[in-house]
Amino acid sequence: MGQILAIDYGKVRTGIAVTDDMQIIASGLTTVETPKLIDFLKKYFSENSVDEVVIGLPTDLKGNMSDIETEIQKFILVFEKEFPDKKINRLDERFTSKMASFFISQSGKNKKQRQEKGLIDKVSATILLQNFLDQKR
């Protein structure tokens, strides 16, 4: 059994989280500059066994797609071409950034660490992946 990798896609940065090989625990992996995302994934997939990918589905409170969805759709087309063997799952990512900010604030990090955007993206990806694992069970 391989890992599941989550992508919290952003225009500038993208948060990445992965499970362990048993697909039990979600952990934040890193934050990648979005233009370098495909290259990062090529390297990561060549070094690790990844069965499937979860990509956030950005919706507002009314269930409408946010503007970033257009960019995500373009990314998915490139992803499918580069990695045709990887299953893609989409999951509502509503509130993940707010939850990430809350969890970071509760973690004892100082103000400068709490405001680091990359940390928020990575924690958001972790929450997205944990939500996916919880739904899968």
Side-chain angles (χ1 to χ4, degrees):
M1 184 180 298
Q3 300 172 346
I4 302 172
L5 181 138
I7 297 172
D8 182 36
Y9 190 92
K11 289 180 182 177
V12 177
R13 284 172 318 281
T14 296
I16 308 288
V18 293
T19 64
D20 57 302
D21 290 339
M22 298 296 293
Q23 300 180 359
I24 297 171
I25 299 169
S27 300
L29 179 64
T30 191
T31 304
V32 178
E33 293 174 29
T34 299
K36 298 178 181 176
L37 182 56
I38 291 293
D39 289 336
F40 171 84
L41 293 172
K42 285 179 184 176
K43 185 175 187 317
Y44 191 83
F45 292 160
S46 73
E47 297 170 354
N48 299 275
S49 174
V50 176
D51 290 342
E52 52 190 308
V53 174
V54 180
I55 301 174
L57 184 64
T59 56
D60 64 18
L61 293 174
K62 295 180 181 177
N64 300 317
M65 290 298 143
S66 72
D67 296 338
I68 189 76
E69 179 62 16
T70 304
E71 297 300 315
I72 294 172
Q73 287 298 322
K74 291 176 188 174
F75 167 74
I76 289 173
L77 290 173
V78 173
F79 183 94
E80 289 173 330
K81 195 175 283 185
E82 290 288 337
F83 313 108
D85 61 323
K86 302 292 184 220
K87 178 182 177 190
I88 297 175
N89 303 285
R90 301 296 307 273
L91 187 67
D92 187 346
E93 65 177 39
R94 224 175 314 195
F95 305 119
T96 56
S97 292
K98 286 186 178 18
M99 290 171 60
S101 294
F102 173 76
F103 290 139
I104 291 166
S105 72
Q106 299 299 304
S107 70
K109 302 252 185 229
N110 67 38
K111 185 174 182 175
K112 186 176 180 184
Q113 290 169 318
R114 289 193 310 260
Q115 292 175 334
E116 181 189 332
K117 300 278 191 205
L119 179 59
I120 293 171
D121 295 334
K122 183 168 58 171
V123 173
S124 293
T126 306
I127 293 168
L128 176 70
L129 184 52
Q130 189 60 56
N131 289 343
F132 178 77
L133 291 174
D134 291 347
Q135 285 186 11
K136 203 172 175 181
R137 289 189 183 114

